[in-house]
């Protein structure tokens, strides 16, 4: 029996079904394209993260009754640029062929034009060009990815006013600013060391750890966040006798799932006004600043005679460890490595003597800046009592700000890394990314559903009875 031929109506129906199938496929593709920009924008991290600074959590050794140090309102972080992409250099395929030089052949001598009436003379031979050694490129290797950790701390100075000389002790504050310079959420701990004559005046959340060192709780800060804390300090009334005085602040940062930790420290100076106040004498000292080259700087001093009688002047400069006067100028002598004595000569009444001393600092001392030095001024008049005052001055260095933050690798079984279930750690899957994935899955299901419905409809039409009268069977 021959297979019946499709009627014209069936062929027309098939032609009508083809556009419907194309329409369904087009709708599915449009759904995917519509979701694409949404997914792209949802998966892109916010270039300006919101600052979320929590109260510091006390360390295990701290008691629960202590509160965290007071913090100023967190400032808006500067926009965080994405981490620079580092790519490993392409591996060397074949070493370059060594450079070969031809054997040294002395060049043929050239004949210079003779002087009138003289014989031709040969020019001196040109020395051969020395062979150039082959240049070997540096060995290439994989470049380790940059660490997402980073932290920076900056400090202000403890500056005392004239009222210091009228009290038995002075309460003051030290402002510390911490900046999360990394690219991830970090847990930042803070500690500080005070010089002799200074003590903590009850900073909340900080406890004594021995050797004039105090440890505070921890803050959780987003990438790029910057916040400040105020440390309450007390300066003894006789601390000026031990100047110069300086302390330091250290911060340590760690992140969940990231090996190692980042740290930074900076010093702070304790600056006393000239005193104890004595009539008839004035003293001033400028700040010493070392530039990025680390070369010697100049310390300028001024000793003034505000009395009515001429007096012989003398100045002594006391510097911190690592800072020295390499070559004392005329009239100055080094008493010891950190103390220099200068004769200012006779200072007439109402006049001021100025001295300038070169000062050098070791790289270690520059990295610990800001530091402080002390200067002692003395006037010995022909008649009357000797007058003496002293003050401190600030020492800064650009190297302290240019020192990179070091992130050493974590030792085996490192302690202090937050557990994987800590806040902000969900295996790298954020809510925005989860939403984008869900939208893509829904779009894919819609496309599959449209294709399935179109296929089922087409099969039903192909397998159903043909419209119109049935054809007669052919024997």
């Amino acid at each position: 029996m021959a297979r019946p031929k499709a009627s014209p109506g069936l062929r027309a129906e098939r032609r009508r079904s083809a556009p419907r199938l194309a329409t369904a496929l087009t709708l599915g593709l449009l759904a995917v394209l519509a979701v694409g920009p949404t997914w792209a924008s949802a998966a892109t991290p916010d270039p300006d993260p919101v600052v979320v600074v929590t109260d510091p959590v006390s360390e295990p050794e701290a008691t629960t009754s202590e509160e965290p140090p007071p913090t100023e309102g967190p400032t808006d972080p500067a926009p965080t640029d994405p981490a620079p992409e580092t790519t490993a250099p392409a591996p060397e395929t074949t070493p370059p062929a060594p450079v070969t030089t031809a054997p040294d052949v002395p060049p043929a001598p050239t004949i210079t034009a003779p002087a009138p009436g003289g014989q031709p003379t040969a020019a001196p031979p040109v020395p051969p060009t020395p062979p150039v050694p082959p240049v070997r490129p540096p060995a290439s290797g994989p470049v380790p990815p940059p660490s997402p950790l980073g932290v920076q701390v900056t400090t202000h100075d403890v500056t005392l006013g004239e009222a210091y000389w009228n009290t038995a002790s002075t309460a003051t504050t030290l402002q510390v600013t911490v900046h999360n310079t990394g690219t991830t959420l970090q847990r930042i701990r803070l500690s500080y060391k005070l010089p002799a004559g200074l003590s903590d005046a009850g900073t909340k959340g900080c406890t004594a750890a021995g050797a004039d060192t105090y440890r505070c709780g921890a803050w959780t800060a987003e990438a790029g966040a910057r916040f400040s804390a105020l440390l309450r300090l007390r300066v003894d009334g006789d601390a000026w006798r031990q100047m110069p005085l300086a302390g330091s602040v250290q911060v340590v940062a760690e992140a969940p799932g990231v090996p190692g930790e980042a740290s930074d420290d900076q010093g702070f100076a304790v600056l006393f006004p000239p005193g104890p106040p004595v009539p008839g004498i004035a003293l001033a000292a400028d700040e010493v600043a070392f530039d990025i080259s680390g070369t010697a700087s100049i310390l300028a001093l001024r000793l003034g005679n505000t009395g009515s009688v001429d007096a012989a002047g003398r100045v002594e400069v006391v510097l911190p460890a690592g800072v020295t006067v390499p070559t004392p100028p005329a009239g100055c002598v080094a008493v010891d490595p950190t103390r220099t004595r200068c004769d200012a000569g006779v200072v007439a009444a109402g006049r001021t003597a100025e001295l300038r001393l070169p000062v050098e600092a070791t790289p270690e001392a520059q990295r610990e800046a800001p530091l402080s030095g002390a200067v002692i001024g003395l006037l010995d008049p022909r008649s009357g009592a000797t007058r003496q005052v002293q003050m401190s001055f600030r020492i800064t260095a650009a190297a302290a700000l240019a020192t990179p933050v070091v992130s050493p690798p974590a030792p085996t079984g490192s302690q202090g890394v937050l557990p994987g279930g800590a806040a902000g750690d969900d295996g790298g899957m954020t809510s925005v990314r989860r939403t984008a994935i869900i939208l893509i899955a829904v779009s894919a299901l819609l496309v599959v559903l449209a294709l399935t419905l179109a296929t089922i409809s087409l099969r039903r039409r192909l397998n159903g009875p043909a419209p119109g009268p049935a054809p007669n069977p052919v024997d």
Side-chain angles (χ1 to χ4, degrees):
M1 178 179 292
R3 184 176 179 181
K5 297 182 179 180
S7 64
L10 179 59
R11 289 194 298 269
E13 185 63 26
R14 290 179 180 176
R15 287 193 297 269
R16 286 192 299 268
S17 300
R20 295 175 183 172
L21 177 59
T23 302
L25 293 175
T26 303
L27 291 177
L29 293 176
L30 290 177
V32 174
L33 294 176
V35 176
T38 305
W39 169 78
S41 60
T44 303
D46 187 0
D48 190 10
V50 179
V51 178
V52 179
V53 180
T54 61
D55 292 334
V57 180
S58 299
E59 294 293 322
E61 63 269 19
T63 59
T64 57
S65 60
E66 292 170 340
E67 301 179 7
T71 60
E72 295 183 353
T75 59
D76 294 334
T80 305
D81 296 332
E85 298 181 359
T86 58
T87 57
E92 181 181 350
T93 55
T94 57
V99 179
T100 58
T101 59
D104 297 336
V105 178
T110 58
I111 305 299
T112 60
Q119 296 295 327
T121 58
V126 179
T129 304
V132 179
V135 179
R136 298 183 180 274
S140 59
V143 179
S147 174
L149 300 177
V151 67
Q152 184 182 38
V153 60
T154 56
T155 61
H156 291 236
D157 295 322
V158 176
T159 304
L160 302 171
E162 296 292 339
Y164 169 78
W165 304 111
N166 295 325
T167 58
S169 64
T170 302
T172 183
T173 58
L174 170 64
Q175 182 176 348
V176 178
T177 302
V178 182
H179 183 199
N180 181 353
T181 59
T183 59
T184 184
L185 181 81
Q186 294 183 147
R187 186 170 181 263
I188 302 175
R189 304 189 307 272
L190 183 145
S191 61
Y192 54 97
K193 183 177 179 62
L194 299 179
L198 273 72
S199 58
D200 186 85
T203 304
K204 297 180 180 179
C206 301
T207 57
D212 298 323
T213 301
Y214 297 82
R215 293 179 181 173
C216 303
W219 292 264
T220 300
E222 296 282 353
R226 189 193 305 267
F227 60 93
S228 297
L230 292 177
L231 308 179
R232 296 186 177 94
L233 306 179
R234 185 171 298 279
V235 185
D236 296 340
D238 58 351
W240 63 274
R241 301 180 184 276
Q242 306 177 66
M243 69 171 73
L245 297 178
S248 61
V249 178
Q250 183 182 40
V251 290
V252 178
E254 57 191 10
V258 179
E261 60 185 19
S263 63
D264 188 30
D265 61 89
Q266 189 176 42
F268 64 90
V270 182
L271 303 179
F272 293 87
V278 175
I281 186 173
L283 184 64
D286 293 342
E287 178 179 315
V288 175
F290 294 97
D291 59 21
I292 195 62
S293 66
T295 56
S297 185
I298 297 296
L299 170 62
L301 306 174
R302 292 174 294 279
L303 177 64
N305 184 354
T306 59
S308 56
V309 180
D310 297 349
R314 188 173 72 243
V315 172
E316 284 194 12
V317 177
V318 183
L319 299 173
V323 184
T324 57
V325 177
T327 306
C332 299
V333 60
V335 179
D336 56 49
T338 61
R339 184 182 291 262
T340 303
R341 180 179 300 150
C342 297
D343 185 2
V346 176
V347 183
R351 304 300 296 270
T352 299
E354 183 172 355
L355 297 88
R356 297 173 64 86
L357 283 75
V359 179
E360 289 184 350
T362 62
E364 292 77 12
Q366 294 188 44
R367 285 193 293 268
E368 295 175 0
L371 302 170
S372 68
V375 55
I376 303 171
L378 185 143
L379 288 177
D380 187 10
R382 292 193 178 95
S383 60
T386 301
R387 303 185 289 269
Q388 176 179 324
V389 294
Q390 65 187 69
M391 63 174 295
S392 53
F393 57 91
R394 194 169 187 254
I395 302 174
T396 62
L401 300 178
T403 302
V405 178
V406 179
S407 300
T412 304
S414 174
Q415 302 290 330
V417 179
L418 294 181
D425 179 21
D426 55 359
M429 182 70 69
T430 62
S431 60
V432 175
R433 191 168 299 176
R434 284 195 298 268
T435 303
I437 292 176
I438 292 174
L439 291 176
I440 293 175
V442 171
S443 301
L445 290 177
L446 291 176
V447 173
V448 172
L449 180 60
L451 292 175
T452 303
L453 293 177
T455 302
I456 294 175
S457 176
L458 183 59
R459 286 181 178 177
R460 286 180 178 177
R461 296 180 182 277
L462 292 176
N463 296 332
N472 295 327
V474 179
D475 294 334

